Amino acid sequence: MRRYGKHTDEDDIRSRPNRRGNRPRTNIRPKHEDAAEGMVLTVDRGRLTCLVDGRTILAMKARELGRKAAVVGDQVALVGDLSGKKDTLARIVRIEKRSSVLRRTADDDDPYERVVVANADQLAIVTALADPEPRPRLIDRCLVAAFDGGLEPLLVMTKSDLAPPDKLLELYGDLDIPYVVTSREELESGGAADRVRTFLDGRVTAFVGHSGVGKTTLVNALVPEERRRVTGHVNAVTGRGRHTTTSALALPLASDGGWVVDTPGVRSFGLAHIDPSRVIHAFPDLEPGTEGCPRACSHDEPDCALDAWVADGHADPARLYSLRRLLATRERTEGD
Ligand SMILES: Nc1nc2c(ncn2[C@@H]2O[C@H](COP(=O)(O)OP(=O)(O)O)[C@@H](O)[C@H]2O)c(=O)[nH]1
Ligand SMILES: [Mg+2]
Ligand SMILES: [Zn+2]
């Protein structure tokens, strides 16, 4: 695991509670005590759009941050010109401790695993019921990434005007994951946004899924004006023309401090370093049964205590099947 100097590493969140908002304890940082706090809304070619005191400003990473990258959702400290006026550029001098990270895997164009979104509470896994066809293995990978990253999953099934949700609901019903089903008609009436919104209040929700499933359509229905406000500002300040769609984009919900994060079509997630115990944590009915397991049990081997746990009636066998299916997801190499 790579460390970046004395600064906190994103992986630390696995062993330490969320300290967002606390003053950092290292003695390097106080020189920026007067820095303003902000949140990264989007990143475009090295320029970070940040929300500071209700203003949208453009910033770049200060050299002192070294290789550590600020990503969408990061809480950051900024110095310099914070006016947000044309041709101004603030500097990000600190990235606050992250409460969660969502990583995507390396792909052909980019050999490094990268954090896509920081500090999300919830992962909305968006699947079209048709066009494109649902990909259960991609959903499984998203679920494992959510459990491992400390995000609560929400299944969003779109395009029910094209195909019914029955088969998918059968597949995921045992997992006790909240879900919503939406259609073209409900998008147009506003009903879809209203229903999805009930799952979002007060939280940071990252929308992920294969390209074409309807993420952007849904996010725009949830926050009708915000996208233009944020990306329009970026274009005006940088004069660079169209905002690229390669970065995630965080947009505030009107109601109560919740955020939605639209992401580009993510095909897969990094599952290489997943800790099975974190996945089991999402199965509280099974977790106590692992006490009788051999050390470093894969939970899919003859001595695993979970078979007896289920046979004794402590949990539904379908749940153990689901857990094993998700844990097996780690072994597969296909993206979807
Ligand atoms: N029939 C149908 N089409 C939808 C629905 N939601 C989105 N779409 C269409 O699906 C296409 C891809 O949507 P988009 O939001 O760009 O997907 P993204 O790549 O996941 O952001 C667009 O043509 C949308 O109009 C839906 O509920 N029903
Ligand atoms: Mg999109
Ligand atoms: Zn076991």
Short mmCIF file of all heavy atoms in Angstrom, two decimals, residues 8-21 68 73-75 95-102 115 117-122 146-152 204 278:
data_model
loop_
_atom_site.label_atom_id
_atom_site.label_comp_id
_atom_site.label_asym_id
_atom_site.label_seq_id
_atom_site.Cartn_x
_atom_site.Cartn_y
_atom_site.Cartn_z
N THR A 8 -2.47 11.76 5.29
CA THR A 8 -3.26 10.56 5.48
C THR A 8 -3.48 9.88 4.15
O THR A 8 -3.62 10.52 3.13
CB THR A 8 -4.62 10.92 6.07
OG1 THR A 8 -5.19 11.92 5.27
CG2 THR A 8 -4.47 11.41 7.49
N ASP A 9 -3.51 8.59 4.19
CA ASP A 9 -3.75 7.81 2.99
C ASP A 9 -5.22 7.44 2.94
O ASP A 9 -5.85 7.23 3.95
CB ASP A 9 -2.91 6.54 3.07
CG ASP A 9 -3.00 5.75 1.78
OD1 ASP A 9 -4.01 5.07 1.56
OD2 ASP A 9 -2.05 5.85 1.00
N GLU A 10 -5.76 7.37 1.75
CA GLU A 10 -7.17 7.06 1.63
C GLU A 10 -7.50 5.69 2.25
O GLU A 10 -8.60 5.44 2.67
CB GLU A 10 -7.58 7.07 0.16
CG GLU A 10 -6.91 5.97 -0.63
CD GLU A 10 -6.71 6.33 -2.08
OE1 GLU A 10 -6.60 7.54 -2.38
OE2 GLU A 10 -6.66 5.43 -2.90
N ASP A 11 -6.51 4.81 2.30
CA ASP A 11 -6.79 3.48 2.83
C ASP A 11 -6.95 3.47 4.35
O ASP A 11 -7.44 2.51 4.91
CB ASP A 11 -5.67 2.53 2.43
CG ASP A 11 -5.64 2.35 0.93
OD1 ASP A 11 -6.59 1.76 0.39
OD2 ASP A 11 -4.69 2.84 0.31
N ASP A 12 -6.52 4.54 4.99
CA ASP A 12 -6.65 4.59 6.44
C ASP A 12 -8.10 4.49 6.90
O ASP A 12 -8.37 4.12 8.03
CB ASP A 12 -6.08 5.90 6.99
CG ASP A 12 -4.57 5.87 6.97
OD1 ASP A 12 -4.00 4.78 6.73
OD2 ASP A 12 -3.97 6.90 7.19
N ILE A 13 -9.01 4.85 6.04
CA ILE A 13 -10.40 4.84 6.48
C ILE A 13 -10.86 3.45 6.87
O ILE A 13 -11.84 3.30 7.54
CB ILE A 13 -11.34 5.35 5.38
CG1 ILE A 13 -11.18 4.52 4.13
CG2 ILE A 13 -11.17 6.81 5.12
CD1 ILE A 13 -12.50 4.24 3.51
N ARG A 14 -10.15 2.44 6.44
CA ARG A 14 -10.57 1.10 6.80
C ARG A 14 -10.44 0.85 8.30
O ARG A 14 -11.13 0.04 8.86
CB ARG A 14 -9.72 0.07 6.06
CG ARG A 14 -10.19 -0.08 4.65
CD ARG A 14 -9.05 -0.54 3.77
NE ARG A 14 -9.37 -0.20 2.39
CZ ARG A 14 -9.91 -1.07 1.55
NH1 ARG A 14 -10.16 -2.29 1.92
NH2 ARG A 14 -10.19 -0.71 0.33
N SER A 15 -9.49 1.50 8.93
CA SER A 15 -9.26 1.20 10.34
C SER A 15 -9.62 2.36 11.25
O SER A 15 -9.60 2.22 12.45
CB SER A 15 -7.80 0.80 10.54
OG SER A 15 -6.97 1.78 9.97
N ARG A 16 -9.93 3.50 10.67
CA ARG A 16 -10.22 4.65 11.54
C ARG A 16 -11.57 5.26 11.23
O ARG A 16 -12.00 5.29 10.09
CB ARG A 16 -9.12 5.71 11.36
CG ARG A 16 -7.81 5.23 11.99
CD ARG A 16 -6.66 6.05 11.54
NE ARG A 16 -6.77 7.44 11.99
CZ ARG A 16 -5.85 8.34 11.72
NH1 ARG A 16 -4.79 8.02 11.04
NH2 ARG A 16 -5.99 9.57 12.14
N PRO A 17 -12.23 5.72 12.25
CA PRO A 17 -13.55 6.29 12.02
C PRO A 17 -13.47 7.61 11.27
O PRO A 17 -12.40 8.20 11.14
CB PRO A 17 -14.08 6.53 13.43
CG PRO A 17 -12.87 6.63 14.29
CD PRO A 17 -11.81 5.81 13.65
N ASN A 18 -14.58 8.04 10.79
CA ASN A 18 -14.67 9.29 10.06
C ASN A 18 -14.32 10.48 10.95
O ASN A 18 -14.95 10.69 11.97
CB ASN A 18 -16.10 9.44 9.53
CG ASN A 18 -16.31 10.77 8.85
OD1 ASN A 18 -15.34 11.46 8.52
ND2 ASN A 18 -17.56 11.12 8.64
N ARG A 19 -13.32 11.23 10.54
CA ARG A 19 -12.95 12.39 11.34
C ARG A 19 -13.16 13.67 10.55
O ARG A 19 -12.54 14.68 10.79
CB ARG A 19 -11.48 12.30 11.77
CG ARG A 19 -11.23 11.12 12.68
CD ARG A 19 -9.80 11.16 13.20
NE ARG A 19 -9.55 10.01 14.04
CZ ARG A 19 -9.95 9.93 15.30
NH1 ARG A 19 -10.58 10.93 15.85
NH2 ARG A 19 -9.70 8.85 16.01
N ARG A 20 -14.02 13.58 9.57
CA ARG A 20 -14.27 14.75 8.74
C ARG A 20 -14.65 15.92 9.64
O ARG A 20 -15.46 15.79 10.53
CB ARG A 20 -15.44 14.45 7.80
CG ARG A 20 -15.38 15.27 6.55
CD ARG A 20 -16.67 15.24 5.80
NE ARG A 20 -17.17 13.89 5.53
CZ ARG A 20 -18.29 13.69 4.84
NH1 ARG A 20 -18.96 14.70 4.37
NH2 ARG A 20 -18.73 12.47 4.64
N GLY A 21 -14.05 17.05 9.42
CA GLY A 21 -14.43 18.22 10.21
C GLY A 21 -13.52 18.45 11.40
O GLY A 21 -13.41 19.56 11.88
N LYS A 68 -0.76 12.98 -4.21
CA LYS A 68 -2.14 12.72 -3.78
C LYS A 68 -3.12 13.60 -4.56
O LYS A 68 -2.98 14.82 -4.62
CB LYS A 68 -2.27 12.98 -2.29
CG LYS A 68 -3.68 12.75 -1.82
CD LYS A 68 -3.75 12.18 -0.43
CE LYS A 68 -5.16 11.71 -0.18
NZ LYS A 68 -5.37 11.20 1.15
N GLY A 73 -16.09 14.99 -4.36
CA GLY A 73 -16.59 14.62 -3.04
C GLY A 73 -15.61 14.92 -1.93
O GLY A 73 -15.98 14.93 -0.76
N ASP A 74 -14.35 15.18 -2.29
CA ASP A 74 -13.36 15.49 -1.25
C ASP A 74 -13.68 16.81 -0.55
O ASP A 74 -14.11 17.78 -1.19
CB ASP A 74 -11.96 15.61 -1.87
CG ASP A 74 -11.15 14.33 -1.72
OD1 ASP A 74 -11.31 13.65 -0.68
OD2 ASP A 74 -10.38 14.02 -2.64
N GLN A 75 -13.45 16.82 0.75
CA GLN A 75 -13.47 18.06 1.51
C GLN A 75 -12.03 18.57 1.49
O GLN A 75 -11.12 17.82 1.84
CB GLN A 75 -13.91 17.81 2.96
CG GLN A 75 -15.30 17.21 3.09
CD GLN A 75 -16.40 18.19 2.74
OE1 GLN A 75 -16.26 19.39 2.96
NE2 GLN A 75 -17.49 17.69 2.18
N ILE A 95 -6.25 17.91 1.76
CA ILE A 95 -7.42 17.06 1.51
C ILE A 95 -7.78 16.44 2.85
O ILE A 95 -6.96 15.80 3.49
CB ILE A 95 -7.10 15.95 0.49
CG1 ILE A 95 -6.64 16.57 -0.84
CG2 ILE A 95 -8.31 15.05 0.27
CD1 ILE A 95 -6.03 15.57 -1.81
N GLU A 96 -9.01 16.67 3.28
CA GLU A 96 -9.40 16.16 4.60
C GLU A 96 -9.61 14.66 4.54
O GLU A 96 -9.79 14.07 3.48
CB GLU A 96 -10.68 16.86 5.08
CG GLU A 96 -10.62 18.38 5.11
CD GLU A 96 -9.57 18.95 6.07
OE1 GLU A 96 -8.87 18.17 6.75
OE2 GLU A 96 -9.45 20.20 6.13
N LYS A 97 -9.59 14.08 5.70
CA LYS A 97 -9.74 12.63 5.81
C LYS A 97 -11.06 12.18 5.17
O LYS A 97 -12.09 12.80 5.36
CB LYS A 97 -9.74 12.27 7.29
CG LYS A 97 -9.70 10.82 7.54
CD LYS A 97 -8.83 10.51 8.75
CE LYS A 97 -8.32 9.09 8.69
NZ LYS A 97 -7.28 8.92 7.69
N ARG A 98 -10.98 11.12 4.42
CA ARG A 98 -12.17 10.63 3.71
C ARG A 98 -12.95 9.61 4.55
O ARG A 98 -12.34 8.78 5.21
CB ARG A 98 -11.75 9.95 2.40
CG ARG A 98 -11.18 10.95 1.41
CD ARG A 98 -10.48 10.24 0.26
NE ARG A 98 -9.99 11.22 -0.71
CZ ARG A 98 -9.09 10.95 -1.64
NH1 ARG A 98 -8.58 9.75 -1.74
NH2 ARG A 98 -8.71 11.90 -2.48
N SER A 99 -14.27 9.70 4.48
CA SER A 99 -15.08 8.73 5.21
C SER A 99 -15.34 7.49 4.36
O SER A 99 -15.68 6.44 4.87
CB SER A 99 -16.41 9.37 5.62
OG SER A 99 -17.16 9.73 4.48
N SER A 100 -15.19 7.62 3.05
CA SER A 100 -15.34 6.45 2.17
C SER A 100 -14.63 6.74 0.86
O SER A 100 -14.40 7.91 0.53
CB SER A 100 -16.83 6.16 1.89
OG SER A 100 -17.34 7.10 0.97
N VAL A 101 -14.28 5.70 0.16
CA VAL A 101 -13.74 5.88 -1.19
C VAL A 101 -14.35 4.85 -2.11
O VAL A 101 -14.57 3.71 -1.73
CB VAL A 101 -12.20 5.72 -1.24
CG1 VAL A 101 -11.51 6.85 -0.52
CG2 VAL A 101 -11.75 4.38 -0.70
N LEU A 102 -14.64 5.30 -3.30
CA LEU A 102 -15.13 4.41 -4.35
C LEU A 102 -14.05 4.39 -5.41
O LEU A 102 -13.71 5.40 -5.98
CB LEU A 102 -16.43 4.97 -4.91
CG LEU A 102 -17.11 4.12 -5.96
CD1 LEU A 102 -17.60 2.82 -5.34
CD2 LEU A 102 -18.27 4.90 -6.56
N VAL A 115 -9.43 6.55 -7.25
CA VAL A 115 -10.63 6.86 -6.50
C VAL A 115 -11.54 7.67 -7.42
O VAL A 115 -11.11 8.64 -8.03
CB VAL A 115 -10.29 7.68 -5.23
CG1 VAL A 115 -11.57 8.08 -4.50
CG2 VAL A 115 -9.38 6.87 -4.33
N VAL A 117 -14.91 8.64 -6.42
CA VAL A 117 -15.68 9.54 -5.56
C VAL A 117 -15.25 9.32 -4.12
O VAL A 117 -15.06 8.18 -3.69
CB VAL A 117 -17.20 9.27 -5.68
CG1 VAL A 117 -17.98 10.24 -4.80
CG2 VAL A 117 -17.67 9.36 -7.13
N ALA A 118 -15.07 10.41 -3.40
CA ALA A 118 -14.74 10.32 -1.97
C ALA A 118 -15.95 10.75 -1.14
O ALA A 118 -16.77 11.55 -1.59
CB ALA A 118 -13.55 11.23 -1.65
N ASN A 119 -16.05 10.21 0.04
CA ASN A 119 -17.03 10.66 1.04
C ASN A 119 -18.49 10.40 0.69
O ASN A 119 -19.38 11.05 1.25
CB ASN A 119 -16.84 12.15 1.35
CG ASN A 119 -15.47 12.42 1.95
OD1 ASN A 119 -14.97 11.61 2.73
ND2 ASN A 119 -14.86 13.52 1.56
N ALA A 120 -18.75 9.48 -0.25
CA ALA A 120 -20.14 9.14 -0.53
C ALA A 120 -20.65 8.22 0.57
O ALA A 120 -19.91 7.41 1.12
CB ALA A 120 -20.27 8.46 -1.89
N ASP A 121 -21.92 8.37 0.94
CA ASP A 121 -22.54 7.51 1.95
C ASP A 121 -23.24 6.34 1.30
O ASP A 121 -23.45 5.31 1.90
CB ASP A 121 -23.62 8.28 2.74
CG ASP A 121 -23.11 9.57 3.30
OD1 ASP A 121 -22.13 9.52 4.05
OD2 ASP A 121 -23.69 10.63 2.96
N GLN A 122 -23.69 6.58 0.07
CA GLN A 122 -24.57 5.62 -0.58
C GLN A 122 -24.14 5.42 -2.03
O GLN A 122 -23.74 6.36 -2.70
CB GLN A 122 -26.00 6.17 -0.53
CG GLN A 122 -27.05 5.24 -1.08
CD GLN A 122 -28.45 5.70 -0.70
OE1 GLN A 122 -29.16 5.00 0.00
NE2 GLN A 122 -28.86 6.86 -1.18
N ALA A 146 -19.32 -1.42 -2.85
CA ALA A 146 -20.05 -0.60 -1.89
C ALA A 146 -19.80 -1.11 -0.47
O ALA A 146 -19.42 -0.33 0.42
CB ALA A 146 -21.55 -0.63 -2.19
N PHE A 147 -19.99 -2.39 -0.26
CA PHE A 147 -19.81 -2.95 1.09
C PHE A 147 -18.38 -2.72 1.56
O PHE A 147 -18.14 -2.34 2.69
CB PHE A 147 -20.11 -4.46 1.08
CG PHE A 147 -21.56 -4.76 0.84
CD1 PHE A 147 -21.93 -5.87 0.09
CD2 PHE A 147 -22.55 -3.96 1.37
CE1 PHE A 147 -23.27 -6.17 -0.12
CE2 PHE A 147 -23.90 -4.24 1.16
CZ PHE A 147 -24.25 -5.35 0.41
N ASP A 148 -17.43 -2.94 0.66
CA ASP A 148 -16.03 -2.79 1.05
C ASP A 148 -15.67 -1.34 1.30
O ASP A 148 -14.88 -1.03 2.19
CB ASP A 148 -15.13 -3.36 -0.04
CG ASP A 148 -13.68 -3.31 0.38
OD1 ASP A 148 -13.33 -4.02 1.33
OD2 ASP A 148 -12.91 -2.53 -0.22
N GLY A 149 -16.23 -0.45 0.51
CA GLY A 149 -15.89 0.96 0.65
C GLY A 149 -16.67 1.67 1.74
O GLY A 149 -16.48 2.85 1.98
N GLY A 150 -17.57 0.96 2.39
CA GLY A 150 -18.34 1.57 3.47
C GLY A 150 -19.52 2.40 2.98
O GLY A 150 -19.95 3.33 3.65
N LEU A 151 -20.05 2.08 1.80
CA LEU A 151 -21.22 2.79 1.27
C LEU A 151 -22.44 1.86 1.34
O LEU A 151 -22.33 0.66 1.16
CB LEU A 151 -21.01 3.19 -0.19
CG LEU A 151 -19.97 4.26 -0.48
CD1 LEU A 151 -18.56 3.67 -0.56
CD2 LEU A 151 -20.29 4.94 -1.79
N GLU A 152 -23.59 2.45 1.57
CA GLU A 152 -24.81 1.65 1.54
C GLU A 152 -25.32 1.56 0.12
O GLU A 152 -25.44 2.57 -0.56
CB GLU A 152 -25.87 2.29 2.42
CG GLU A 152 -25.59 2.11 3.90
CD GLU A 152 -26.66 2.74 4.74
OE1 GLU A 152 -27.84 2.55 4.40
OE2 GLU A 152 -26.31 3.43 5.69
N VAL A 204 -24.83 11.72 0.71
CA VAL A 204 -24.10 11.86 -0.55
C VAL A 204 -24.24 10.53 -1.28
O VAL A 204 -23.77 9.50 -0.81
CB VAL A 204 -22.61 12.19 -0.30
CG1 VAL A 204 -21.87 12.29 -1.62
CG2 VAL A 204 -22.47 13.47 0.50
N ARG A 278 -15.28 -7.28 5.56
CA ARG A 278 -16.07 -6.07 5.33
C ARG A 278 -17.31 -6.37 4.52
O ARG A 278 -18.33 -5.70 4.65
CB ARG A 278 -15.21 -5.00 4.65
CG ARG A 278 -14.14 -4.44 5.56
CD ARG A 278 -13.39 -3.32 4.89
NE ARG A 278 -14.26 -2.19 4.60
CZ ARG A 278 -14.42 -1.14 5.38
NH1 ARG A 278 -13.76 -1.06 6.50
NH2 ARG A 278 -15.21 -0.17 5.04
#
